[in-house]
Amino acid sequence: MNAIISASELADALRSERPPVLLDVRWQLSTAAASGQPFDGRAAYASGHIPGAVFVDLDRELASAPGPRGRHPLPDLDVFGAAMRRAGVSAGTPVVAYDGGIGWAAARAWWLLRWTGHPDVRVLDGGLPAWDGPLETEAAALAEGDFVPKPTEGAVLDADGAAALARSGVLLDARAGERYRGEVEPIDPVGGHIPGALSAPTSDNVDADGRFRPAAELRARFGELGATRDVPVGVYCGSGVSAAHEVLALEVAGIPAALYVGSWSEWTSDPARPVAVGPDPQ
């Protein structure tokens, strides 16, 4: 099953006998919008969302509180499961997640559902800007679902696992190149990258409209970095959000990958961990 869905395919699915549950996961990395006010995903949802969609709060329901394990550590599974059931998610119900267009937040929801055993979840390619159907402003009232998250083995990396994978397989850094090289670091205390990691900015996975590049192009892109189905692959970013988008891109390309959820924000919380700078992985 394809991990992404186009707006036209979603419109058809919503008219089908088995419509998907819709998760609106609008979120921004920066807490300040252009107006100077903090971004409010719930307010964005209330101003207009795809009919039937339920708002999901990334910071509170798709992550735990920031701390030594990073800015967006794994959520408490009871909290995550309750949020998914509130949204109407059941084990046998298809799910589609979307956000404001960049795809990071929707991919985080996709990854968490896949990691915890949901068999049928996709991301709306291009997010809400790709949707040309009607919007509604009233909150959806859905019957509670029955989904119970059950994590799968091997999909999550910790700091030691990420360091080992950088030596034995392929570890991709999904942040912007200048952050990887340590030229700038707007969020975390130290710039640079995990020694051995390869720079693979998430922005290169999509076209100018924010839609994923074709699977063949993505396979070629990752193949040039040594990431193929034949080697273990992992991804990290700043806090495990944009890296989920890269894991999704790898999925589109047919390449399984693990996610280092703590990412750079956890890595740099321990000053004893090594840091590499510059374009050289080491």
Side-chain angles (χ1 to χ4, degrees), residues 1-7 9-10 20-23 25 50 94-114 120-128 130 206 210-212 244-249 251-252:
M1 184 189 69
N2 200 340
I4 57 176
I5 185 171
S6 70
E9 290 170 334
L10 175 58
V21 169
L22 289 176
L23 306 180
V25 202
I50 298 175
V95 179
V96 173
Y98 71 88
D99 56 26
I102 196 169
W104 295 1
R108 173 77 174 214
W110 167 84
W111 180 83
L112 280 167
L113 280 166
R114 288 288 301 274
D120 189 353
V121 54
R122 289 179 283 180
V123 167
L124 175 58
D125 197 15
L128 190 60
V206 297
R211 292 178 174 85
F212 281 99
H245 188 272
E246 187 122 300
V247 173
L248 176 56
E251 179 79 9
V252 172

Side-chain angles (χ1 to χ4, degrees), residues 49-232:
H49 51 268
I50 298 175
V54 175
F55 178 72
V56 176
D57 190 319
L58 185 148
D59 290 315
R60 293 176 175 83
E61 296 172 322
L62 304 184
S64 296
R69 293 184 299 127
R71 282 192 305 281
H72 292 102
L74 288 172
D76 180 280
L77 289 182
D78 289 338
V79 172
F80 173 65
M84 293 299 99
R85 291 189 293 274
R86 172 186 60 81
V89 175
S90 292
T93 305
V95 179
V96 173
Y98 71 88
D99 56 26
I102 196 169
W104 295 1
R108 173 77 174 214
W110 167 84
W111 180 83
L112 280 167
L113 280 166
R114 288 288 301 274
W115 171 59
T116 54
H118 198 288
D120 189 353
V121 54
R122 289 179 283 180
V123 167
L124 175 58
D125 197 15
L128 190 60
W131 176 256
D132 58 3
L135 300 177
E136 66 180 15
T137 56
E138 293 187 4
L142 302 179
E144 182 159 318
D146 63 14
F147 179 69
V148 177
K150 297 177 181 178
T152 55
E153 297 291 334
V156 179
L157 296 171
D158 59 13
D160 290 341
L165 188 59
R167 298 188 297 269
S168 64
V170 175
L171 182 66
L172 301 178
D173 185 319
R175 299 172 300 158
E178 58 269 24
R179 291 184 69 191
Y180 170 88
R181 295 186 295 271
E183 297 166 358
V184 298
E185 183 42 66
I187 305 172
D188 294 307
V190 178
H193 57 270
I194 297 173
L198 303 173
S199 180
T202 298
S203 57
D204 291 345
N205 296 326
V206 297
D207 62 20
D209 294 325
R211 292 178 174 85
F212 281 99
R213 293 162 57 184
E217 290 186 17
L218 290 171
R219 275 194 297 274
R221 183 210 177 193
F222 292 124
E224 290 176 357
L225 295 167
T228 70
R229 291 188 61 86
D230 300 324
V231 297

